[in-house]
Amino acid sequence: MRINLVHEGAQFLEYEIRQIVDHAYRLRGMGLDVIWENIGDPVAMKEEVSPWIKDIVRDLVGQNASWGYCPTRGVLETREFLANQVNIRENGVRVTPDDIVFFNGVADAIDKVYELAQRNARILLPAPIYSTHSSNESKRGGYQPLQFRLNPKNNWLPDMDEVRNIIRYNPQISGIGLVNPDNPTGIVYPRAILEEFAEIARQNGLFLLVDEIYVHICYNGAQTLHLSQIAHDVPAIALRGISKEYPWPGARCAWMEVLNKTLDANFSTYIDSILNAKMLEVCATTLPQMSIPLVFGSPLYPEHLVRRAKTYEKRANEAYELFSKIPGIICHRPQGAFYLSVVFEDGVFHPNQKLPIENASIREYVDNLCAGAPGDKRFVYNLLGSKGICVVPLSGFATDLGGFRITLLNTDDERRNRIFKEIASGIEEFLNS
C-alpha cells in the first residue's frame, strides 16, 4: 500500500474466548467432537428463556414503533424507567434520563469509552481482566495496559497499596476500570474495596468505570452493589445490559449510566464525545430497549433473578468442590457471574507435558499449537485435542497467571458433572505426565 493502513494498536486486538474456536473448528474437521465451555452464552448452552419474557417480546414485535429508529440516547420511556431505578437505590447518586445512553451491547459501549479517551490518558485495569477491556485500552495508544493484580491466593482481592502506587507513579492514569461481578474470576468486590477505589479516584481526580453486566447474578453470600451506591462525588460510568439477565445476548442491548457528569468539565466533555460518536451510528436497536420496563418492572422478575442465582450457585459449588481438591492448582468458590477460573501453581509446568491423543492429525496440530506457548495454553490445547473440551486459557485475559476459565452454563446436570470430572482428570494427568 501507498501508506501503512494498519492501526498502531491493531496487534493488541485479542479475544481468546473466540480465537480458540478457530482451532476447535479445525480439529472438529479432523473428527473431534467438541464440547464448548468457552463462551458465556446461556442460550447457546440451552437455557430456556422464561415464557413470560418471550411473550413480552412477541407483543412488542407487533408494535410498529419497535421497527423504527429511536433517539440516539435510547427510548425515552426506557431511560426514564432506568433513571428511576438508579434514583431509588439506597444512598445512591441521582441521575436523569439524559444520563442513560444505549449501545449495541456492552462491547459497543466499552469500545466507545476507551476509543474516545485521549490517546495518552490511561485507564488502570485489574489483571486478569475481560479481554474486551484490555484490548480496547491497548488499541487506543498502541501500548500494553497498566494493571494491578488480583491475587488468586487471597480470594482474587487486589492489594490496594499496589493500586495507589501505580497511580502515584503513572500520572497519565485518568480512570480505574473494573468488572463487578468479575469475569473471569467470579468474584464480587466487597463494599469496602469498592469504597476504597472510590476514595482513591476522589483523591487523584480519576473517574471510575465499572462493567456491571453481571450485577444481578450474585450468590454464595455476595450482595449486589451498584456503582451508583459508592461513587457519591466521583465522576463515573456504569455499564449494564440484558444479555446475561434475561438472558438475551443476541439482542445486543446495553446502556451506560453516567454518574456525576457535571462535577468535572473535562469529564462532561468526554461524555458528550461518546454521545456524539453514538449519534454518528444513529441509535441502538429499538425493540430490546422497549422490553426493559416491561421485563424489569414485572412482578415475576425478582423471582426470575433469585432462581437463576440459585442455579449458578449450585453449579459453582459443584465445580469448586471438585477442582479445589486437586494438587497443583488454586481455585476459589465463585460468588457471581457464571464462570470459574483455575490457576496453576508456580513450578508445575514443564515443556514435555501432554495428554494422550490417538488421532495422529490432531496430535500434530496440537503439538504445533503448543510449540513456544505458555503452560496454560499447552494444557488448554491438549485438553481440547484429547477430550474435546474447549476452555479459555487464563493468559488470554491480560495476565501472566497460568490457568483457564470454564463456564457454569451447561443445563444438563449429568453431562456438566461429567465434563467437570473430565477436566479434573485432565489436570491431574497433564501435571503428572
Side-chain angles (χ1 to χ4, degrees), residues 7 46 108 137 167 180 244 252 256 278 307 406:
H7 190 285
K46 297 183 169 45
D108 177 30
E137 167 65 7
I167 292 169
N180 185 43
K244 315 299 182 182
R252 309 312 301 140
M256 180 172 75
K278 191 64 197 176
R307 175 182 56 80
I406 62 171

Side-chain angles (χ1 to χ4, degrees), residues 203-225:
Q203 292 173 356
N204 292 276
L206 311 179
F207 77 95
L208 291 176
L209 168 66
V210 179
D211 182 339
E212 295 185 343
I213 191 66
Y214 302 99
V215 73
H216 290 149
I217 306 176
C218 297
Y219 43 84
N220 278 328
Q223 299 294 316
T224 297
L225 188 67

